[in-house]
Amino acid sequence: MTTTLDQLSCGIREMLALEEVDVDLPLSQIGIDSLNVVEMIILCQQVVASRTIA
């Protein structure tokens, strides 16, 4: 089973079309802008929902 952090970093990699995401970097340094924040909110909701169902 993957961790919540793994699920979030995977979603961010897909959103930004990156091969790897350093989870210790600030979001602004990996390319997250104000438009991506909305996508991240949806991603977080999906991850939390999948955690509560499982």
Side-chain angles (χ1 to χ4, degrees):
M1 176 173 254
T2 60
T3 66
T4 302
L5 184 57
D6 291 335
Q7 288 179 300
L8 290 173
S9 64
C10 179
I12 291 170
R13 281 195 315 269
E14 290 176 7
M15 179 180 20
L16 299 176
L18 297 173
E19 289 185 25
E20 205 173 301
V21 172
D22 184 348
V23 296
D24 294 321
L25 287 177
L27 295 176
S28 60
Q29 288 187 356
I30 61 171
I32 298 290
D33 60 18
S34 59
L35 296 175
N36 295 128
V37 170
V38 174
E39 291 179 80
M40 284 192 61
I41 291 169
I42 294 168
L43 174 64
C44 289
Q45 289 173 336
Q46 291 170 343
V47 168
V48 169
S50 72
R51 287 288 183 199
T52 56
I53 292 172

